[in-house]
Amino acid sequence: MPRIKKSSRNMTSIEPFQDNRTIGLFHTICKIIYLTCATNFWFEDMDYPAKCMKIYNATSRVVEVIVAVLIISDCGAFWTQPNLTEKQSNDRILLAFANGVSCLAYANVFYYKREIRELVMTLAVRLKKVCNDGTIEIMMLRTTFRYLSALFLVCSSAVFSYGMGSGIQALTTNATFTTVIPSWPDVEDRRVIAGAARIVHYIVWWIFMVRVTSVYSLILTCTIGIAHQFKNLCKYFEDLENIFKGSGSQEEKERKYENAFKVGIKMHSINLWCTRQTQLTGGLVFSGQIIVNVCVLGLLMIQMMYTERNLIAMMPIIFMALAILVGTGVFLWVAGDVTIEASLLPAAMFHSGWHNCTRQSSLRVRKLVTIAIAQAQKPVLIKGLGFIELSYESYVTIVKSSYSLFSVIY
């Protein structure tokens, strides 16, 4: 088991135990986040040279300001860019809205940095100390890799497609290289300095999307970790019956079972706390994805009505739609997994072997099991916008609502 000790800067340090791969997963993700936005969500100091970290932290703050200027510039374009085509006007609304919502969710995660550190510590260390089934952990690692790969792929493809589409149009027609539409320069400004500014805007947009996606990946990984921890807990309760198959007197087995069941109840309580913390720290991320899904998909369908039916023109729309659908999907699917895995816990408690207890021990254990099952039967839900239960069914409903919105407008 890991021994927890204090590190510098009042942060917690651990000596990881050998079979815990979850620590490596979260540590890697936190290192990636630090490299993208110079913020440490890990509960230890990052193992980079102090001088390099100091320089990088200062540089990152400057980049943060530049990114904020880009977001403000997107909004300012509604007043400074009146002469736009139908597609450019739609792009201005779509990207300004999507970037604005993503920026708010990004800032919200940073606001709860301390809570996220504690959440990561709990998922990677505290819960794993008691029960860490190797097979379930490998399933979690594979699920995380699959979902994060999909998230990074579709998000980068969307930004790349906008750049490639605008670049091809700039080379083959008389159009300017325009991706994100800022307050300045004007879309018809053909000066060298204006062209350089557009390229800078595109690079800053890339930086912004990389930062947002990396932070989103931590919330997504925490949610996946909670779902698999409920699966771990089910396995823990199911294995308690093996206590009565071992050696020792009946009294010793009953005492051991009762103590182990109480440990399981505590683990369940910690799991519920992790779910509440994920709702608190990632609630705006979940809500933002729902809002962006409904509004941006509606705008993309409107944009398709005014776009030429050729590969170059349709590519940004297709990749943006895929990014929204997959981005929303992975969050809602893993949140739904939490609900599904938690719903299996009462049955696992019931089949934990309580019927093997006798006399006074049986009376105490039955009361304990009854209360634990009653608590576990309460649905464990992660919600978006405060009232939408995130699940596979709600994902289908949200996607359909985008088309419904489009049908009402047109």
Side-chain angles (χ1 to χ4, degrees), residues 20-295:
N20 188 356
R21 302 181 185 180
T22 308
I23 290 179
L25 170 66
F26 277 103
H27 189 214
T28 301
I29 292 174
C30 289
K31 290 184 76 170
I32 292 172
I33 294 174
Y34 183 81
L35 292 174
T36 57
C37 50
T39 300
N40 185 12
F41 287 97
W42 189 239
F43 45 83
E44 292 182 304
D45 294 330
M46 284 294 171
D47 51 352
Y48 297 119
K51 185 175 290 186
C52 293
M53 289 177 65
K54 188 176 181 180
I55 296 172
Y56 181 66
N57 289 344
T59 304
S60 182
R61 297 297 171 261
V62 175
V63 175
E64 200 79 60
V65 173
I66 295 173
V67 169
V69 170
L70 171 68
I71 302 300
I72 296 172
S73 180
D74 289 349
C75 299
F78 287 93
W79 288 272
T80 62
Q81 300 276 14
N83 302 317
L84 300 177
T85 64
E86 192 68 39
K87 182 183 182 304
Q88 288 173 337
S89 179
N90 217 300
D91 278 341
R92 179 180 59 181
I93 299 171
L94 187 152
L95 296 178
F97 179 77
N99 289 342
V101 173
S102 298
C103 188
L104 288 175
Y106 174 80
N108 181 76
V109 173
F110 276 73
Y111 179 78
Y112 289 110
K113 180 172 65 175
R114 183 174 300 177
E115 288 81 358
I116 291 176
R117 281 178 181 165
E118 191 175 357
L119 175 61
V120 170
M121 170 71 177
T122 303
L123 287 171
V125 181
R126 289 183 63 194
L127 289 170
K128 297 297 181 179
K129 287 194 297 182
V130 181
C131 178
N132 186 36
D133 186 88
T135 304
I136 295 175
E137 187 173 41
I138 291 174
M139 288 174 58
M140 188 203 74
L141 295 175
R142 289 176 178 173
T143 302
T144 303
F145 178 77
R146 186 166 60 248
Y147 279 150
L148 293 188
S149 298
L151 182 65
F152 279 107
L153 180 63
V154 296
C155 289
S156 59
S157 298
V159 180
F160 177 76
S161 65
Y162 267 87
M164 189 171 73
S166 298
I168 293 175
Q169 284 188 339
L171 292 173
T172 57
T173 65
N174 196 33
T176 57
F177 177 76
T178 304
T179 51
V180 181
I181 299 177
S183 300
W184 182 89
D186 189 273
V187 291
E188 295 300 328
D189 191 341
R190 302 180 185 279
R191 291 177 297 169
V192 175
I193 189 173
R198 293 189 190 96
I199 294 174
V200 170
H201 278 115
Y202 182 57
I203 294 172
V204 173
W205 188 28
W206 260 110
I207 294 172
F208 171 68
M209 289 305 301
V210 168
R211 291 186 169 209
V212 169
T213 307
S214 64
V215 169
Y216 276 24
S217 68
L218 182 58
I219 300 297
L220 185 62
T221 304
C222 288
T223 312
I224 294 172
I226 293 170
H228 283 78
Q229 192 54 43
F230 274 113
K231 189 187 290 289
N232 234 343
L233 195 53
C234 288
K235 182 71 164 53
Y236 173 84
F237 279 110
E238 289 168 357
D239 288 345
L240 289 184
E241 190 169 12
N242 294 331
I243 293 174
F244 296 98
K245 298 177 182 178
S247 58
S249 65
Q250 178 68 15
E251 185 179 351
E252 289 176 350
K253 293 176 182 178
E254 289 172 354
R255 184 169 58 252
K256 187 177 180 181
Y257 172 84
E258 188 173 348
N259 291 334
F261 197 93
K262 289 178 180 178
V263 170
I265 292 175
K266 185 176 180 180
M267 290 174 64
H268 181 219
S269 177
I270 295 173
N271 252 26
L272 294 177
W273 176 86
C274 289
T275 306
R276 291 193 297 270
Q277 285 294 96
T278 302
Q279 178 71 71
L280 174 68
T281 58
L284 197 54
V285 174
F286 297 122
S287 300
Q289 283 298 123
I290 294 172
I291 294 171
V292 168
N293 189 100
V294 174
C295 298

Side-chain angles (χ1 to χ4, degrees), residues 347-398:
M349 289 178 173
F350 183 79
H351 293 98
S352 62
W354 58 270
H355 55 277
N356 292 299
C357 296
T358 59
R359 298 184 294 278
Q360 290 300 317
S361 176
S362 175
L363 182 62
R364 292 195 306 272
V365 167
R366 277 184 291 165
K367 290 180 179 178
L368 190 65
V369 172
T370 301
I371 295 172
I373 290 177
Q375 178 64 32
Q377 284 176 331
K378 296 178 181 178
V380 179
L381 303 171
I382 296 178
K383 296 184 179 181
L385 299 175
F387 65 93
I388 299 177
E389 299 175 3
L390 306 186
S391 63
Y392 299 91
E393 293 79 9
S394 62
Y395 174 69
V396 175
T397 303
I398 290 168

